[in-house]
Amino acid sequence: MSETSREKPRASGGDMRRGLELLWGGHSPGGRGSGRRGPKQRHSTEEVVLTAIAFADAEGVAALSMRRVADALGVSPMSLYTYVPSRDELIGLMLDRVLGETAAPPPETIGWREALIFIARERWRLAERHPWILDLMGRRPPLGPNLVGNHEVAMRALDGTPLDDLTKDYALDAMHNYLIGAMKEARDAREAERESGLTDEQWFKLAEPALMDLLDPARFPRVLRLGEAFRAAGWGAADPEYKFEFGLSLVLDGIESLIRRAGTTAG
């Protein structure tokens, strides 16, 4: 089996049935959901998954390979396939494992809006701990118990509304798409700062003098006013988390409008 360390990560590749059995079944070597039968193993599949997660946290999921995980565990690459049959299925287990770190809204949460705010903030914090999940949260994610369970929790948050199940799913999909975009923007900002040694504020202050000389006030009056507004408000107004909260409110306002219209129609 050929494998390059920078192969594009996929969390839903491999054999579909085998992958689902790994996600939902037992992960003990030789049991249901394991790769192959054989001699007693030195590690559990859980240890393999946690080792791979630690590697992805440090270097990103694109750099993950079965060989590098095997080296970290002190086993041969071929023996790793007795735990998980392929890199794709390992990544699927990793993603579903970290999705289980998010908490459900507490019982005292009042109303659908507060519940969705709680869920959104949990996902924000998860992406800060494991930035690599953003590379895997596109279409056809691995349908593991934590991913499905998280969606069940989000659907339940809208139970008291007049929305039907399909419309609930559309609304949650819109929120999910917003969250992915906002979380990627925050990750990109952190990576740019780490690579350049400059914050966004420091970078813009370096570029600003030359840019201001080039901008014609007659052609770009709004952009120039925007720059003045940011200076007046302070650079906290450009902070990714501040913008995340602002955008989340807009998305929830849209869902609220949808709920209101559905209630009027139902009445």
Side-chain angles (χ1 to χ4, degrees):
M1 174 181 295
S2 63
E3 178 183 13
T4 61
S5 62
R6 291 290 175 179
E7 181 184 354
K8 182 178 179 181
R10 297 187 304 167
S12 57
D15 180 271
M16 183 178 293
R17 177 174 292 277
R18 183 179 65 187
L20 287 172
E21 288 176 349
L22 274 168
L23 286 162
W24 288 85
H27 298 324
S28 58
R32 191 171 82 87
S34 65
R36 302 173 184 172
R37 296 183 181 274
K40 181 176 176 59
Q41 305 291 341
R42 293 169 53 188
H43 302 284
S44 67
T45 302
E46 177 77 356
E47 288 178 284
V48 173
V49 172
L50 292 176
T51 299
I53 289 171
F55 185 93
D57 288 345
E59 299 194 31
V61 72
L64 183 75
S65 71
M66 298 291 273
R67 177 176 296 279
R68 299 185 78 176
V69 175
D71 289 344
L73 288 166
V75 300
S76 71
M78 288 308 298
S79 70
L80 202 62
Y81 291 102
T82 66
Y83 297 94
V84 286
S86 74
R87 177 177 181 261
D88 288 344
E89 283 148 337
L90 173 58
I91 291 174
L93 290 173
M94 292 163 57
L95 178 58
D96 200 69
R97 175 66 170 73
V98 299
L99 289 177
E101 295 177 12
T102 55
E108 62 269 21
T109 298
I110 301 173
W112 65 267
R113 189 178 184 109
E114 291 78 8
L116 292 186
I117 289 172
F118 182 94
I119 289 168
R121 289 174 178 168
E122 279 288 291
R123 293 182 186 177
W124 173 272
R125 288 188 285 268
L126 182 69
E128 287 191 320
R129 294 194 300 273
H130 307 291
W132 51 271
I133 68 173
L134 299 175
D135 297 322
L136 305 172
M137 296 297 290
R139 300 197 64 79
R140 300 181 182 177
L143 301 176
N146 289 319
L147 183 143
V148 174
N150 286 351
H151 197 59
E152 176 74 18
V153 168
M155 292 279 286
R156 186 169 66 230
L158 294 170
D159 271 356
T161 72
L163 302 180
D164 60 60
D165 286 338
L166 189 58
T167 306
K168 289 178 186 177
D169 187 65
Y170 287 159
L172 293 172
D173 197 41
M175 186 179 84
H176 171 80
N177 289 337
Y178 164 71
L179 294 178
I180 294 297
M183 292 185 296
K184 283 185 175 180
E185 181 182 4
R187 182 183 68 174
D188 290 348
R190 290 194 300 269
E191 290 179 352
E193 181 175 345
R194 183 173 61 252
E195 292 170 2
S196 68
L198 298 171
T199 65
D200 283 349
E201 180 179 2
Q202 292 167 331
W203 173 84
F204 187 77
K205 283 182 176 178
L206 286 175
E208 186 179 26
L211 182 61
M212 292 302 101
D213 290 342
L214 294 170
L215 292 182
D216 178 359
R219 185 179 178 189
F220 301 108
R222 296 164 186 82
V223 173
L224 289 168
R225 290 201 306 268
L226 178 62
E228 293 172 0
F230 271 117
R231 283 191 293 274
W235 274 91
D239 177 72
E241 189 165 3
Y242 177 88
K243 293 168 68 177
F244 163 77
E245 293 286 348
F246 180 85
L248 177 60
S249 291
L250 293 182
V251 172
L252 296 178
D253 286 348
I255 295 176
E256 185 172 349
S257 177
L258 180 68
I259 290 170
R260 196 179 304 118
R261 291 199 305 271
T264 302
T265 302

